[in-house]
Amino acid sequence: MTRFLTRSELFGLSNFPTRKLTLYQQLKMRLALLLSLLSSLSVLSAAPPQIPLMSSHASSSLRNWLSQIANTTIPSILRNTLPNGAIRASPSTSHPDYSYHWVRDAALCVSFLSSAYARNPTSELLTTLERYIDLETQNTYKSTRTGLGEPKFHLDGAPYTLPWARPQNDSPALRVLAMISILPHLDHNKQADTYYKAILPSLHYISQTHTLESFDPWEEIRAHNFYTSSVVHSALLKGTSLAERFNDTHNAEWFKLQSQFVRHKLEWFKTGNGLIQPHVPIPAHKPSRLDAQVILAALHAPASPYPPHSKAIHLTMAALADTFGRLYSINRQTDADGTAPAIGRYPEDTYDGYETTSLGNPWPLLTCAFAEVHYRTAAYHMSLHSVPSLKDVQAAQDELDKGDAYLRRLRKHLPKDTEYGISEQWNRETGFMQGANNLTWSFVALASAGRAREEIVAVLEETQYRPMARL
């Protein structure tokens, strides 16, 4: 804080050892004090410090590219929605057959579409959201092999009855979160109907099964999973607030109590070096203890104690990026604009999009997720103070640059001759798309990362024209 000089300090001799100084020396020191005062006043009146933001050609080019595809991602997602409310994971019907309504994929898709509707309401989006609720309400009461832990349905709504990885208890939790996100767009009667008929049964299911093992989001490992526990925890917390809204006191207390148990369970997954492991126990074939589903949990669990900006998430991201940077051939090709590595599921992966006995590949949706985590972290830095400091802005800019490097990786491998079709995977050697084509989840991941970037860029650009707190 600037200290103003007193009159005696400025013009008097009380602060100087006058008996030992000549008149010339006294006048010289008074002049120095005057200059110091003028300098202080100049600092106070000077314009606030500025730093150049997003001025590089690489950032400008990326922004133009994202602007071009912004109008195609939602239509691409909607092309995979059906009139009965089902959401097709992919149009691919063979090698691999992904033409099903996966509960997880559909919930993530609808959560994004709900936020898109909040920003720009259209009748098409609202109809899609209402149809989804109607279908999932019906699915809640269908006879399936695992009750509400069922992973997928046929596109006509019929339960899938063949052998599969069951149960997948992240699915009902994500369905709860998706439906809660839609409620504000519905009239009061529809909200109550959705709560009692669709949301409440799923909340009861996850509140009674969170102590049990279930399959992870890759449908491979039956264990206690960080991703599943994260979204269950968030769904129970959101469910508590919703139950209180409807004066459903008994259920609110029950959901709150169970959320506390799950919160404690999340500590199981912390490792000694500060990272987060995906499973407890760790299966023998995953000695690295690394899995990108941990990063997805930070994005998909809105009440997570490990949000995108948390140290544990960033340490885990760094370990994954370093591992995949060395593992995949396409990541060894460096670009002048600083392209980040393409991200896969986990280092020991053997699913190549077609067979489960091959070599795993990087996934576009995971590469987008890494970008989004950096953008969300940038937003966190800008929210720390009512007036961001220069340090806040610089930290946010650094995270923006890191996120951009991942989206440049995505742009590098997207096909040029299609309308931004995004498959499930890239070949680790060639960089070409492979696996299920036009994967809905891939479009959602790109759109979500793009929106997160748009939001933080707007905040940073606004900051260039307002005062910043001084360090």
Side-chain angles (χ1 to χ4, degrees), residues 320-321 323-328 330-332 339-345 361-364 366-368 370 405-406 409-410 413 426-428 431:
L320 284 162
T323 300
F324 290 127
R326 291 180 280 106
L327 185 63
Y328 301 144
I330 60 172
N331 286 338
R332 300 185 199 124
T339 300
I343 302 300
R345 299 194 300 176
N361 295 303
W363 287 39
L366 293 173
T367 306
C368 288
F370 271 50
Y406 283 104
R409 169 62 65 181
L410 179 76
H413 299 292
W426 293 308
N427 185 281
R428 62 194 284 161

Side-chain angles (χ1 to χ4, degrees), residues 341-352:
I343 302 300
R345 299 194 300 176
Y346 53 93
E348 303 86 358
D349 196 0
T350 60
Y351 177 57
D352 67 358

Side-chain angles (χ1 to χ4, degrees), residues 14-16 29 42 60 80 164 180-181 189 199 227-228 244 394 403 405 407 416 437 456 461 469:
S14 59
N15 291 313
F16 302 123
M29 294 185 73
S42 175
S60 176
N80 278 336
W164 203 255
I180 289 177
S181 76
N189 290 336
I199 296 176
Y227 181 89
T228 302
E244 291 171 346
Q394 289 172 330
L407 287 192
K416 301 293 192 299
N437 66 299
I456 185 56
E461 288 182 337

Side-chain angles (χ1 to χ4, degrees), residues 176 180 195 199 203 234-244 252 255:
V176 165
I180 289 177
Y195 170 67
I199 296 176
L203 284 170
S234 286
L236 288 171
L237 279 180
K238 295 285 187 179
T240 298
S241 299
L242 187 61
E244 291 171 346
F255 298 148

Side-chain angles (χ1 to χ4, degrees), residues 300-372:
H300 299 164
S304 174
Y306 297 102
H309 64 266
S310 62
K311 182 178 180 181
I313 291 298
H314 279 261
L315 286 174
T316 306
M317 280 179 61
L320 284 162
D322 178 68
T323 300
F324 290 127
R326 291 180 280 106
L327 185 63
Y328 301 144
S329 295
I330 60 172
N331 286 338
R332 300 185 199 124
Q333 305 167 13
T334 58
D335 295 322
D337 60 359
T339 300
I343 302 300
R345 299 194 300 176
Y346 53 93
E348 303 86 358
D349 196 0
T350 60
Y351 177 57
D352 67 358
Y354 308 112
E355 307 294 339
T356 59
T357 56
S358 182
L359 291 174
N361 295 303
W363 287 39
L365 72 89
L366 293 173
T367 306
C368 288
F370 271 50
E372 184 173 354

Side-chain angles (χ1 to χ4, degrees), residues 12-28:
L13 302 177
S14 59
N15 291 313
F16 302 123
T18 55
R19 294 176 184 175
K20 297 181 182 180
L21 296 177
T22 66
L23 180 60
Y24 171 77
Q25 289 173 322
Q26 294 177 36
L27 290 173
K28 184 177 179 181

